Amino acid sequence: MAIHENLLGGPPPTHLPDDPEPRELLAAGTAPADVAAKYPASSLVWAQLADDAFQAGRTVESYAYARTGYHRGLDALRRAGWKGHGPVPFEHEPNRGFLRALHALARAAQAIGEQEEYERCTAFLRESSPTAADTLS
């Protein structure tokens, strides 16, 4: 039996390639908007912008940032072989930007009364990574 074989017969986990530069710039205190301008494909940067806007009470802005990060993440997942379903482990750090953006989208959707979007994103987060759903909620 291969190591990490999925015994349930579902798709294998998707692991996004590492993109350390945006993560390192954010950790060093670079303004998220500056990092987004340099690395617009990074879900992590958009998730950070969404979190910052939400914490500042700018819910619609948070929603827009989160949606951008979510779509950038979907693009990256597809390039990594994801077929629209299956595990996206939170334990794999490069996946966290997408998962954070998905969580931020659910949170902002709920805050603006977009209940169907909130439920869809919450279910998608839990299906993708129960760890992310528990950690981020």
Side-chain angles (χ1 to χ4, degrees), residues 1-2 9 11 16-17 20-22 28 34 41-42 46 50 59 87 89 93 103 106-109 114-115 133 135:
M1 178 175 14
L16 292 173
E21 292 85 5
D34 293 339
S42 170
W46 296 106
T59 308
E93 188 169 3
H103 171 261
R107 178 187 61 206
E114 190 74 40
Q115 188 64 25
T135 301

Side-chain angles (χ1 to χ4, degrees), residues 67-122:
R67 182 159 288 290
T68 300
Y70 166 76
H71 282 287
R72 290 300 189 133
L74 288 177
D75 292 343
L77 286 169
R78 288 182 188 111
R79 283 192 303 275
W82 183 74
K83 302 294 186 213
H85 66 285
V88 182
F90 186 74
E91 295 79 4
H92 181 66
E93 188 169 3
N95 290 351
R96 291 182 184 176
F98 167 73
L99 295 166
R100 283 183 55 197
L102 180 55
H103 171 261
L105 183 56
R107 178 187 61 206
Q110 183 180 41
I112 64 172
E114 190 74 40
Q115 188 64 25
E116 187 175 312
E117 178 85 338
Y118 163 73
E119 291 171 5
R120 182 187 66 76
C121 290
T122 300

Side-chain angles (χ1 to χ4, degrees), residues 4-100:
H4 303 294
E5 181 179 346
N6 185 340
L7 300 177
L8 299 177
T14 301
H15 296 99
L16 292 173
D18 197 13
D19 188 14
E21 292 85 5
R23 186 174 61 244
E24 291 167 358
L25 286 170
L26 290 172
T30 305
D34 293 339
V35 181
K38 188 170 183 176
Y39 297 98
S42 170
S43 288
L44 176 64
V45 174
W46 296 106
Q48 186 63 55
L49 286 165
D51 288 347
D52 293 349
F54 193 83
Q55 290 172 359
R58 300 185 318 268
T59 308
V60 172
E61 187 178 327
S62 177
Y63 182 90
Y65 286 137
R67 182 159 288 290
T68 300
Y70 166 76
H71 282 287
R72 290 300 189 133
L74 288 177
D75 292 343
L77 286 169
R78 288 182 188 111
R79 283 192 303 275
W82 183 74
K83 302 294 186 213
H85 66 285
V88 182
F90 186 74
E91 295 79 4
H92 181 66
E93 188 169 3
N95 290 351
R96 291 182 184 176
F98 167 73
L99 295 166
R100 283 183 55 197

